[in-house]
Amino acid sequence: MWLIISFVLGALLLGLVMWLRSSHVSLTWYEWVLGIVGLVLLLFTVLFFTDALGETESKAATMFLLVLGLPAVILLALSWQLTVRRIKKA
Amino acid sequence: MSRFHSMVSRRDFMKAVGLAGAGLGASAAISPVFHDVDEFMSSPTAEWKRPWYVKNRELEDPTVELDWSLMYRSDGIWTGQNNPTQDFFLGAEEGAKRRAAAAAYSANAVKTNQSGMTLRDRALSSGNYMYPITFMGPASSTTPESLGVPKWQGTPEENSKMIRAAMIHFGAAQVGMAEITDRVKTKLVREYDKDFTHKKYMFEDVPKGYEGTDKLVFPDKVPLYDFAFTHPLNKEMFRSSPSSDIGSAGNSLRYSQFSIIQPRIQMFMQVLGYTCYGYTRPFNGAIPTIATATLTGLGEGARNNGAFISPEFGPCVGLFSLVTDLPLEPTPPIDAGMWRFCQTCTKCADECPAQCISFEHEPTWDVPKIYGKEDTTHIPGRKQFWTDGIACWSYKATIGGCGACMGTCTFNTDIANIHTIVRATLSTTPVFNSFLWQADKFFGYGVHEDKEAWWDMSQPTLGFDTAHVTVGKDY
């Protein structure tokens, strides 16, 4: 599973960098920070969620989605929206 | 500007090669070099692998503080498991009443197909057959004399590694060693055996111990050692507690296993030319196992002082301890932050249906009275929490058995990565202990309602992951 996640993540990062270059857009430092923290939280969510399901702890799996997954999605969405709105404004 | 060719200059490349070479050279210089397998075995790196956060302490200095001057040899029958001992504290009438209630509950549960106590659950528990075992073990026809060779000679370090390898082959998970010093002889070795025959453990000036009609004799002038070992138990079965024959099956498998492990190691020792002094029955050892397992570094004491926690396997472990005249290298007690964590966490006490585990947060030297009498089921000299063993054993029988304290324990976890992070954190950063305990409850770890779900689960052979010991992981 982690091999596939690594490939997908690598492709997404490559796509992001290529898009940034082709669109002549640069991210601010806080957009990078929010995005990276969100991504790390998302990866931990996937790890702990699948681990908890593997040990048949369904409540723990759900709690990981709540306490790690939700902030991860919020941070990634925040990073994305800050960038998009800044570009539109410019 | 797009870059279509390497921007690394020849000078930079050679510099990187030089740095890498220097790094490799330095690594090789500080790494141990082994010329053969014997040399590798005698190296400290061939020792038992443990998680990085498990720290060694000084010999005879476990995390539970000890005052050896307060200790004395115990009488094996003074435990909560023993009916006459229960009667001493509860009164004969109340003791008989509880035993009748226990028999009625057990009989009714299987008739009503109660979850966790169905016929198949009872069959599983009853399947843990125990072979008869003895103090001296079966006599081996193969000895150094019969083979025409001198008895095995090795350094204590070599012997310890050999015993560890042999014991793991025979069914143990982890093995710790200690020397039986005068202090151990006069404070830890039981005075009387737990068995109904109630034989006396004695030290006599004989070259080899023996079992008499009323005594179990160790040689007094021969240096003796003990080796404690763990047989981890099925964590999921303990989560079906209380009122569960599945939990009972998970608990009693260790005794069934031990009844064949002991004769194996006794025969092994005889072929080497040494003696291994065993249990009289799989429950009855010469040295209380939590004491020796803690002193030999297999784990730490727990809030429930009738339990014990291994950093690798948690609280669901069976402990045994055997005595030998084969010289062994002592292994030190450890600190993995677990006993310190128990002083904050009360999850086991909260779950206990008999309410027999202390809720205090400050351990004490004083053994509290139970039922208005001195608690003679405990030997003083340990600064810890004191569990009412009479309440535990007499009550749990009336509800079809219980191991909920171990099943719900914060350390009774499976293989998920988060548990390793938690254990490493609480070992190094106790300020998070309260948070981690609350998080364990919040995330819903602990005993399970659906007891019969165990039958549909994929479980490791003998209930524990044997590979974890070889790679030094926790579980």
Side-chain angles (χ1 to χ4, degrees):
Chain A
M1 185 184 74
W2 286 100
L3 186 70
I4 296 167
I5 289 175
S6 304
F7 277 123
V8 171
L9 205 62
L12 284 174
L13 282 174
L14 191 67
L16 175 70
V17 171
M18 286 171 71
W19 176 76
L20 288 174
R21 286 194 170 193
S22 63
S23 319
H24 301 288
V25 174
S26 59
L27 298 178
T28 61
W29 67 270
Y30 54 85
E31 287 161 356
W32 276 114
V33 168
L34 289 173
I36 289 168
V37 172
L39 182 65
V40 169
L41 279 179
L42 188 69
L43 290 175
F44 274 117
T45 306
V46 173
L47 173 67
F48 295 150
F49 177 74
T50 52
D51 269 1
L53 284 184
E55 52 183 29
T56 64
E57 294 286 357
S58 53
K59 186 181 174 190
T62 315
M63 298 311 288
F64 280 122
L65 285 183
L66 183 71
V67 300
L68 289 180
L70 190 62
V73 171
I74 290 171
L75 287 175
L76 286 170
L78 198 63
S79 174
W80 169 50
Q81 278 301 309
L82 281 172
T83 310
V84 169
R85 288 177 192 205
R86 186 168 51 79
I87 293 168
K88 274 187 185 169
K89 211 172 175 182
Chain B
M1 186 182 78
S2 300
R3 291 172 177 170
F4 295 109
H5 58 88
S6 169
M7 298 300 284
V8 179
S9 69
R10 192 181 304 153
R11 183 191 167 90
D12 288 341
F13 177 74
M14 293 309 290
K15 205 163 120 186
V17 168
L19 279 172
L24 284 171
S27 307
I30 59 168
S31 299
V33 177
F34 305 112
H35 298 101
D36 54 33
V37 175
D38 287 341
E39 197 176 333
F40 177 71
M41 273 192 68
S42 65
S43 138
T45 52
E47 282 284 358
W48 157 29
K49 289 181 185 142
R50 308 199 79 166
W52 63 267
Y53 52 81
V54 177
K55 305 285 188 293
N56 284 346
R57 293 170 63 89
E58 293 297 314
L59 286 175
E60 296 192 356
D61 180 31
T63 47
V64 172
E65 283 181 67
L66 301 181
D67 182 347
W68 289 85
S69 68
L70 298 174
M71 295 185 199
Y72 51 87
R73 295 174 67 186
S74 60
D75 181 339
I77 63 164
W78 280 98
T79 73
Q81 295 153 285
N82 186 277
N83 288 345
T85 306
Q86 288 181 10
D87 290 350
F88 173 81
F89 288 101
L90 298 170
E93 193 180 335
E94 177 63 18
K97 198 170 133 191
R98 290 194 185 191
R99 283 190 284 282
Y105 186 98
S106 180
N108 187 54
V110 73
K111 280 178 189 151
T112 55
N113 209 32
Q114 182 178 313
S115 176
M117 298 190 78
T118 66
L119 181 61
R120 69 174 178 179
D121 303 329
R122 186 67 51 89
L124 190 71
S125 179
S126 305
N128 288 332
Y129 177 76
M130 285 180 280
Y131 291 92
I133 55 173
T134 61
F135 183 62
M136 296 303 293
S140 170
S141 57
T142 308
T143 60
E145 294 77 34
S146 76
L147 295 169
V149 294
K151 69 193 277 191
W152 170 265
Q153 296 295 336
T155 65
E157 293 84 357
E158 289 166 344
N159 295 342
S160 293
K161 283 169 192 161
M162 176 179 70
I163 288 293
R164 182 170 290 123
M167 284 303 295
I168 289 171
H169 167 72
F170 291 141
Q174 299 161 310
V175 192
M177 288 83 174
E179 187 181 350
I180 298 193
T181 58
D182 284 343
R183 190 150 75 169
V184 173
K185 282 181 188 175
T186 55
K187 303 286 183 181
L188 271 189
V189 174
R190 286 193 196 284
E191 191 167 13
Y192 288 97
D193 191 44
K194 235 171 152 180
D195 197 49
F196 67 92
T197 53
H198 207 216
K199 292 185 178 179
K200 188 167 188 173
Y201 284 105
M202 300 182 75
F203 290 86
E204 292 180 0
D205 189 7
V206 288
K208 187 177 176 178
Y210 62 94
E211 179 168 1
T213 51
D214 59 350
K215 59 186 177 182
L216 300 157
V217 178
F218 294 111
D220 193 30
K221 300 282 173 16
V222 178
L224 293 174
Y225 305 83
D226 82 87
F227 56 101
F229 65 92
T230 57
H231 185 293
L233 306 168
N234 189 302
K235 292 159 178 280
E236 197 57 46
M237 289 174 127
F238 272 84
R239 293 191 189 110
S240 70
S241 290
S243 309
S244 171
D245 282 328
I246 297 173
S248 301
N251 183 42
S252 57
L253 179 68
R254 61 173 135 162
Y255 302 116
S256 180
Q257 286 297 106
F258 180 72
S259 75
I260 187 64
I261 292 173
Q262 177 174 300
R264 284 171 177 161
I265 194 68
Q266 285 175 316
M267 297 279 272
F268 174 81
M269 294 279 198
Q270 284 181 54
V271 177
L272 292 174
Y274 293 87
T275 305
C276 176
Y277 301 97
Y279 283 26
T280 53
R281 289 207 303 145
F283 321 102
N284 310 339
I287 307 177
T289 51
I290 292 178
T292 182
T294 307
L295 287 166
T296 58
L298 295 178
E300 291 183 72
R303 169 171 288 278
N304 175 5
N305 70 344
F308 159 95
I309 307 173
S310 150
E312 290 89 357
F313 293 99
C316 297
V317 286
L319 303 173
F320 301 94
S321 168
L322 297 167
V323 176
T324 181
D325 51 6
L326 176 75
L328 298 171
E329 174 73 8
T331 49
I334 57 156
D335 183 355
M338 299 181 298
W339 166 236
R340 188 174 53 215
F341 183 83
C342 282
Q343 292 170 46
T344 302
C345 177
T346 59
K347 201 162 175 237
C348 57
D350 295 336
E351 192 69 39
C352 176
Q355 291 292 286
C356 64
I357 303 171
S358 169
F359 284 93
E360 297 295 324
H361 292 285
E362 188 58 43
T364 173
W365 296 103
D366 303 322
V367 187
K369 285 186 175 183
I370 50 172
Y371 311 97
K373 296 175 179 172
E374 296 294 331
D375 184 354
T376 45
T377 66
H378 292 305
I379 300 295
R382 296 165 283 166
K383 193 178 181 188
Q384 58 178 25
F385 303 113
W386 302 92
T387 298
D388 178 353
I390 301 295
C392 171
W393 287 95
S394 65
Y395 180 78
K396 75 171 151 192
T398 65
I399 56 164
C402 182
C405 52
M406 292 153 77
T408 200
C409 176
T410 311
F411 293 100
N412 186 34
T413 55
D414 291 327
I415 55 172
N417 292 282
I418 186 70
H419 307 309
T420 300
I421 296 171
V422 168
R423 287 180 192 209
T425 305
L426 66 88
S427 171
T428 53
T429 325
V431 70
F432 292 121
N433 282 357
S434 183
F435 166 76
L436 292 171
W437 162 40
Q438 298 300 335
D440 182 89
K441 287 196 288 186
F442 182 69
F443 277 73
Y445 294 108
V447 292
H448 290 167
E449 290 296 320
D450 186 2
K451 299 175 194 293
E452 294 296 318
W454 177 84
W455 288 95
D456 300 320
M457 290 177 177
S458 174
Q459 294 290 298
T461 303
L462 294 175
F464 71 98
D465 188 341
T466 55
H468 274 68
V469 181
T470 56
V471 295
K473 271 205 75 173
D474 51 17
Y475 173 44

